[in-house]
Each structure stands twice: as structure tokens, then as C-alpha cells.
Amino acid sequence: MNDGTAGYSPSVIVKTLAFGVCLLLAGCTGASGQEPVKEAASRFLGALASGDHRSACALLAPRAQESWAPGTCERGLAGADVPGGTPETVSVWSEEAQVKTAHDTLFLHESSTGWVITGAGCRHRNEQVYDCAVGGP
């Protein structure tokens, strides 16, 4: 009688199936882990596009807000060269992330309150270094 197990014990079959389920879930989790990053970048870019610099400043990490003198974030963002756009690609590495639009690269950090922008208006200076209009990587 051939039951399709090719002589493997039930424990090996269960372990193999469990491993496959883990791989499947890991792949799904990776994609869903990008969504909060993409949403944070979209909120920031949307706030800038609508001229809501107060909301955009609230989405910046404290170190990015230090691009300007205390209390001048809104005015600084109004004059910053941050191209608009929508997130196209998202890369996440633990608590750090990068979002690319057609004309911009943004960097984010996962804080205790969620994802915040650490750099925007970033362009390659060379293969590993970015110059950012706001904050930095």
C-alpha cells in the first residue's frame, strides 16, 4: 500500500509541513511589515504636498528636526527641497527603513510611537553616502 509518504515517519512529515508553514508565514510577515513604513512615508509626503508643515514636522524624528533651530521646523520644511511623490519601493532592516519615490529617497526609524522620518530629500552622493535636505540616513 502506497500512502504517499515514501516511507517517512509521521514526525518527519509533520516537521516538514511545519517548516513550510513557517516559511510561508515569514514571507507574508515581511510584506506586511513594510506597510506601516509605506504609510508613514505617505503621510509625510502628503502633508508636505498639502502645505501642512506642522503635521509633516510631527512625523520627523527629533534628530531630523534638529536640521533647523528650535521652533523653526515648519518654516524649514517649507523651504526644503523635498520632491513630492508616492512610495514605490520599501526596504526594512529591523528598526530602520528606506522608502524610494520616483525622485526622492526617505529614511525612517521605528520609534516607540511608530515609524518616523529621519531623512528626506535624499540623493546619492556616491554608492553609500546620501545628502539629505532634511536630516539624514
Side-chain angles (χ1 to χ4, degrees):
M1 177 168 112
N2 183 359
D3 62 1
T5 62
Y8 294 106
S9 72
S11 67
V12 170
I13 294 169
V14 169
K15 288 177 184 174
T16 303
L17 288 172
F19 181 71
V21 169
C22 286
L23 287 177
L24 178 65
L25 290 175
C28 294
T29 301
S32 66
Q34 293 178 351
E35 200 56 37
V37 175
K38 189 174 185 178
E39 289 173 7
S42 293
R43 283 193 313 271
F44 177 76
L45 292 168
L48 286 181
S50 68
D52 185 0
H53 298 110
R54 176 173 291 193
S55 293
C57 283
L59 296 168
L60 289 176
R63 68 180 180 185
Q65 292 179 14
E66 293 170 0
S67 297
W68 306 283
T72 63
C73 178
E74 293 175 43
R75 191 174 27 180
L77 270 181
D81 182 19
V82 179
T86 58
E88 294 181 358
T89 61
V90 177
S91 301
V92 180
W93 307 276
S94 185
E95 297 176 342
E96 306 301 323
Q98 180 187 68
V99 173
K100 291 189 175 190
T101 70
H103 303 288
D104 192 9
T105 301
L106 295 95
F107 292 93
L108 297 89
H109 173 76
E110 187 175 25
S111 71
S112 60
T113 59
W115 288 95
V116 291
I117 309 297
T118 57
C122 302
R123 291 168 185 77
H124 274 110
R125 183 177 349 144
N126 60 42
E127 288 184 24
Q128 296 180 347
V129 178
Y130 281 83
D131 289 321
C132 299
V134 178

